[in-house]
Amino acid sequence: MSVAVPNWDVWKQAPAWLAFALSCEVAAIALPITDAVVFPQRAADLCWLGVLLVLGVGQAELSARIERMRRWMSGETHINMTSVWYLAGAVLLSPAMVSLLAALLYLHLWIRVWRHVRARPAHRVAVSTAWALLSCFAAASVLRVTGLGQLDVGTPSTWRAAGIVLTAALVFESVNACLAATGIFLYGRKRSRQALFGTWSDNALETVTLCLGGLAALALVYQPVLVILVLPPLLMLHRSVLVKQLEVAASTDDKTGLLNALAWHDSAQREYSRSIRENRTFGVLMVDLDYFKRVNDTYGHVAGDVVLKAVADTLRGQVRDYDVVGRFGGEEFAILLPGTSEPGALTVGERIRGAIADMAVTVPLDGMHADVDGLTVSIGCAVHPSAGDTLEKLLLAADTALYRAKSAGRNCVVSSTQAV
C-alpha cells in the first residue's frame, strides 16, 4: 500500500490522450472553416442542411428517452442513430456543411439527452463530436477528390449512385473507428479488439444505421416524401437495441461488468448439459480475494469497488474468450473452463494467482489517490466428472477446495482432489 498523492497527478498519466483529443478538436474546427473559405458553397447545400437537421432533430426528439436510457447503460462504445443523417449529409453536402450538420446534431443531443447522463461528461462529448465531424468531413472530401461528387448533382447512374453511397459509408466508418480506437487506447491503454473497435453487435448496428442513411439520401434525391419511411424502422431499431441492453444489464454485475451469480449459473448449466452430451470435461475455479475487508476499512468502499473492478478485468484477461467469468457476491468470483482437464484448470488458476499478485490498483482517497498492491487470491478448483456428477456437486467441490486454500494460508490454488 503506497502513500497517497494529489489527484491531479492522474491527468499526467494520459498526456498523449489529451494531445490527441485537442488535436482532433482543433482539426474539426479548422478544416470545415478552411473548406468554407476556399470552396464556394451551393445554395442547395443550405436547403439540404435544413432538411437533414429537421429530420435528425425530429428523430432524436422521438427517441430521446430511449437514447438517455441506452447512454446510462453503455460502456466505452456507444452507437447513436445520428449516423443515418451523417451519411446522408456526406453524400448531399459539402465537407464544410456536413461538418456543421454533425456539430448541430451533437449539440442538440447534448442539450436534450446527454447532459443529464453522468456517463457523458462535457469533455467526452467534445472529443466525440470532433471525431464525428472529422469522419463526415473525410467522407465528403473523398467524394470531391475522387470525382464521384455529390448525389444530387446531375443524374447519376445506378452504379455511380451506389458508388457514392458506399464510398462515403466506408470512409466515414473507417475514419470514425480509427479515431475512436486511438482515443480509447491512449486513454486506457486497452489493446483487445473488442475494447478498441467494439463488439460484432456494435459494428453490425453501425452498419445498419449507415445503410438507412444511404436509403434516406437516395429517397431525398429521387422520392423525397419516401424519406419518412426511414423513421419507423429507425425508431424500432433504437428500441430493440435498448431491449438488448436491458437483457444484458439484467445478467450483469453492475460493479464489475461480469455475469452475476444467476447468469453465471445458467451458463454453467448449459455447459454441464453440453459436456454430458459430448462426453467431455469442464472445470470450475472459485476465486476469493484475500483480506478484502482490509481494503474497505483502509480506503473506503468506493476504493474497494475500484479494486473489485480491476480484479474482474484481470480475471477476464487471464482466460480464453469463451471461458465464463462471474461474480458470486462480495469478493468471490467463479470461472467456467469448458473442455479443461484438472492439470489445465490448475495452470489457469496459478496464472490468475500470479497476475493478481502483480497488480497495483490506483484508488481514490480523500481527494487524492493511492496505489493498492500486495493483493492475493485463494482459488479452489474442481473438474467434471471426477469432482462430481452434477453441477451442484461440482460447485460444492470447488467451494470446499477454496476453503482448504484459505486454511492452508491463502494465496494458493487447491484442487478438489487435494481437498478430500
Side-chain angles (χ1 to χ4, degrees):
M1 312 287 182
S2 69
V3 179
V5 296
N7 203 24
W8 56 261
D9 192 55
V10 175
W11 290 99
K12 292 184 177 181
Q13 298 175 11
W17 182 87
L18 291 173
F20 175 71
L22 289 173
S23 298
C24 290
E25 290 165 5
V26 170
I29 296 172
L31 290 176
I33 292 176
T34 302
D35 182 84
V37 172
V38 173
F39 296 95
Q41 305 298 307
R42 303 181 306 158
D45 283 351
L46 289 175
C47 183
W48 286 129
L49 176 64
V51 170
L52 291 172
L53 192 57
V54 168
L55 289 169
V57 169
Q59 176 257 314
E61 287 293 331
L62 290 172
S63 59
R65 185 177 178 183
I66 295 174
E67 175 64 17
R68 190 176 295 118
M69 293 178 67
R70 286 191 58 224
R71 185 60 264 183
W72 270 105
M73 294 183 291
S74 292
E76 294 287 351
T77 304
H78 176 77
I79 310 297
N80 64 66
M81 302 303 168
T82 48
S83 298
V84 171
W85 315 114
Y86 296 159
L87 181 62
V91 301
L92 292 172
L93 301 171
S94 68
M97 286 296 186
V98 72
S99 299
L100 178 60
L101 172 68
L104 292 174
L105 290 179
Y106 254 81
L107 178 61
H108 173 261
L109 280 173
W110 165 254
I111 294 172
R112 293 288 293 145
V113 180
W114 291 338
R115 70 190 178 96
H116 303 291
V117 181
R118 290 175 299 174
R120 296 296 288 177
H123 72 276
R124 287 187 59 181
V125 173
V127 74
S128 296
T129 303
W131 293 341
L133 262 67
L134 292 173
S135 302
C136 291
F137 186 91
S141 297
V142 167
L143 294 181
R144 174 191 286 165
V145 170
T146 58
L148 286 171
Q150 291 159 274
L151 189 63
D152 65 330
V153 176
T155 308
S157 65
T158 300
W159 287 109
R160 183 163 172 266
I164 291 172
V165 172
L166 292 175
T167 299
L170 180 62
V171 174
F172 174 88
E173 179 62 14
S174 299
V175 173
N176 192 263
C178 290
L179 289 173
T182 302
I184 291 171
F185 172 76
L186 293 176
Y187 191 79
R189 294 296 174 182
K190 297 180 179 179
R191 299 176 181 273
S192 69
R193 179 199 59 78
Q194 180 171 314
L196 296 177
F197 295 101
T199 63
W200 290 112
S201 179
D202 293 331
N203 288 283
L205 177 60
E206 180 72 4
T207 300
V208 170
T209 60
L210 292 176
C211 289
L212 288 174
L215 293 174
L218 291 168
L220 285 169
V221 171
Y222 297 108
Q223 292 290 338
V225 72
L226 295 182
V227 75
I228 301 300
L229 299 179
V230 174
L231 291 176
L234 182 57
L235 295 173
M236 289 304 299
L237 176 64
H238 214 165
R239 184 175 293 275
S240 66
V241 172
L242 173 61
V243 171
K244 179 63 178 177
Q245 286 183 253
L246 289 171
E247 291 175 350
V248 172
S251 64
T252 303
D253 175 66
D254 59 348
K255 290 185 178 180
T256 62
L258 301 176
L259 292 180
N260 58 31
L262 180 60
W264 187 92
H265 194 278
D266 287 343
S267 296
Q269 188 62 57
R270 288 194 297 271
E271 181 58 34
Y272 172 77
S273 300
R274 186 181 301 112
S275 298
I276 293 296
R277 291 195 305 271
E278 299 175 2
N279 193 28
R280 63 172 183 159
T281 64
F282 74 95
V284 171
L285 298 179
M286 299 296 290
V287 182
D288 191 85
L289 197 54
D290 297 326
Y291 302 114
F292 181 65
K293 187 175 183 297
R294 293 180 183 176
V295 176
N296 284 330
D297 291 344
T298 303
Y299 299 99
H301 289 279
V302 173
D305 291 346
V306 173
V307 171
L308 286 176
K309 180 65 168 63
V311 169
D313 291 341
T314 299
L315 293 179
R316 271 186 297 223
Q318 297 300 318
V319 298
R320 302 163 297 187
D321 290 341
Y322 55 87
D323 294 332
V324 184
V325 186
R327 181 184 178 213
F328 264 35
E331 60 270 26
E332 188 173 32
F333 304 86
I335 304 175
L336 181 68
L337 304 170
T340 302
S341 62
E342 183 171 310
L346 288 171
T347 299
V348 175
E350 284 293 343
R351 187 167 66 240
I352 289 172
R353 189 193 62 78
I356 298 296
D358 292 338
M359 287 177 56
V361 185
T362 301
V363 300
L365 181 64
D366 297 329
M368 309 171 77
H369 78 265
D371 290 333
V372 179
D373 53 17
L375 298 169
T376 63
V377 289
S378 300
I379 302 176
C381 167
V383 175
H384 172 80
S386 60
D389 56 0
T390 67
L391 180 59
E392 288 71 21
K393 290 180 179 178
L394 186 69
L395 291 174
L396 179 60
D399 198 55
T400 302
L402 172 62
Y403 179 79
R404 175 62 65 86
K406 291 285 188 181
S407 300
R410 296 177 168 81
N411 192 26
C412 62
V413 183
V414 175
S415 74
S416 59
T417 53
Q418 293 171 287
V420 175

